[in-house]
Amino acid sequence: MSGRYVALGSSMAAGPGIRPSAPGAPFGSGRSARNYAHLVAEQQHLDLVDVTFSGATTAHVVAERQRNAQPQIAALDGSEELVTITIGGNDVGYVPLLMAASLPEVARRLPLLGDHLHDLLDRDAREQALAGIGDALQEVGTAVRRRAPRARVVFVDYLTLLPAEGIPAAPLSAEHADLGRFVSAGLEDATAAAAHATGCELVRAGLASRNHHAWSTDPWTVAAGWPLPWRPAPFHPNAAGMRAVAGLILEHAPRS
């Protein structure tokens, strides 16, 4: 009998827009049948329970319902062989700030909407959000290890979205791209620290994809654009990125 594998996380793990959708995936989850969890499970003959969900925060993993879905941790029953976790970006507004930065300036000045977008693009506000993400990620790691004591628990951080400083990332301004890199680096550091503090493993997808950012010639993620249902979402992994992350997981934690 194959081992049990539970995949937890946000849209960066779910794979919105990567066809085909996972059978039975809840509406709005953005869960792809070719996300990294499905690819790992297929390669290792694991019994996958994929509860990744677009828009998920750390609170949706450990305690809060998302739409009609239970907290993701409810999927764990203690029999797991492998658990992967990709979470945290929605807590700190990472992709939302990039989406806001890609909008025309006139849109960022609209009443009500403009106030929200201004907050997303405010460095002080992002610093405050980052200040709490370390504890939130450690809570996730601790809770998962408690519920799945036999499993290999692996944090998988986010693929690199933005090019290095000095490389244009139109339509993002240099200032907004720098803010995105700042948030990304803080999230990577917090994920690594949480993995270490809770005795979990770490797959550094961000580091592995530095030369495969969304504006590169061999991208693993999608650059700015309109979110359309028939293609991978902007500022998210593409199919190549999901294959790459699956390969990193398999290389890091092969099944015996």
Side-chain angles (χ1 to χ4, degrees):
M1 184 169 59
S2 62
R4 192 168 192 262
Y5 167 23
V6 174
L8 311 174
S10 65
S11 55
M12 288 297 197
I18 300 174
R19 291 185 166 185
S21 296
F27 177 77
S29 67
R31 202 177 296 159
S32 169
R34 305 306 293 167
N35 64 21
Y36 73 68
H38 280 80
L39 299 176
V40 168
E42 180 181 281
Q43 182 70 25
Q44 294 293 289
H45 307 292
L46 294 168
D47 181 13
L48 175 64
V49 179
D50 182 1
V51 291
T52 59
F53 210 113
S54 294
T57 65
T58 54
H60 291 127
V61 173
V62 298
E64 295 182 4
R65 298 181 69 91
Q66 188 175 8
R67 301 197 180 189
N68 293 322
Q70 290 185 310
Q72 293 183 21
I73 200 169
L76 302 175
D77 65 13
S79 68
E80 292 76 25
E81 179 175 315
L82 175 65
V83 180
T84 54
I85 309 166
T86 298
I87 200 71
N90 291 316
D91 294 60
V92 298
Y94 178 34
V95 169
L97 86 81
L98 297 178
M99 293 294 291
S102 68
L103 292 173
E105 186 174 354
V106 64
R108 300 201 297 271
R109 294 179 177 176
L110 293 174
L112 300 179
L113 177 62
D115 290 341
H116 175 62
L117 298 181
H118 180 269
D119 180 74
L120 284 170
L121 297 170
D122 181 74
R123 193 177 185 95
D124 289 340
R126 293 311 100 217
E127 286 182 350
Q128 288 183 349
L130 283 169
I133 192 59
D135 288 344
L137 288 168
Q138 287 191 35
E139 182 182 1
V140 170
T142 298
V144 170
R145 286 191 58 78
R146 186 184 304 122
R147 289 285 294 260
R150 297 174 50 243
R152 301 187 74 162
V153 180
V154 183
F155 276 97
V156 183
D157 66 15
Y158 284 24
L159 287 165
T160 294
L161 295 175
L162 296 166
E165 184 178 2
I167 299 175
L172 277 64
S173 68
E175 177 188 3
H176 291 154
D178 182 66
L179 178 60
R181 283 188 290 268
F182 168 75
V183 172
S184 175
L187 185 57
E188 278 191 29
D189 289 346
T191 302
H196 177 74
T198 58
C200 299
E201 300 177 29
L202 175 68
V203 167
R204 300 191 65 183
L207 179 63
S209 57
R210 292 288 189 257
N211 294 326
H212 297 278
H213 58 80
W215 281 262
S216 71
T217 57
D218 183 18
W220 291 354
T221 52
V222 181
W226 291 104
L228 298 173
W230 57 84
R231 67 185 186 194
F235 302 116
H236 282 80
N238 59 22
M242 284 300 186
R243 290 193 297 270
V245 174
L248 292 170
I249 295 169
L250 292 168
E251 179 181 333
H252 177 79
R255 189 181 178 205
S256 59

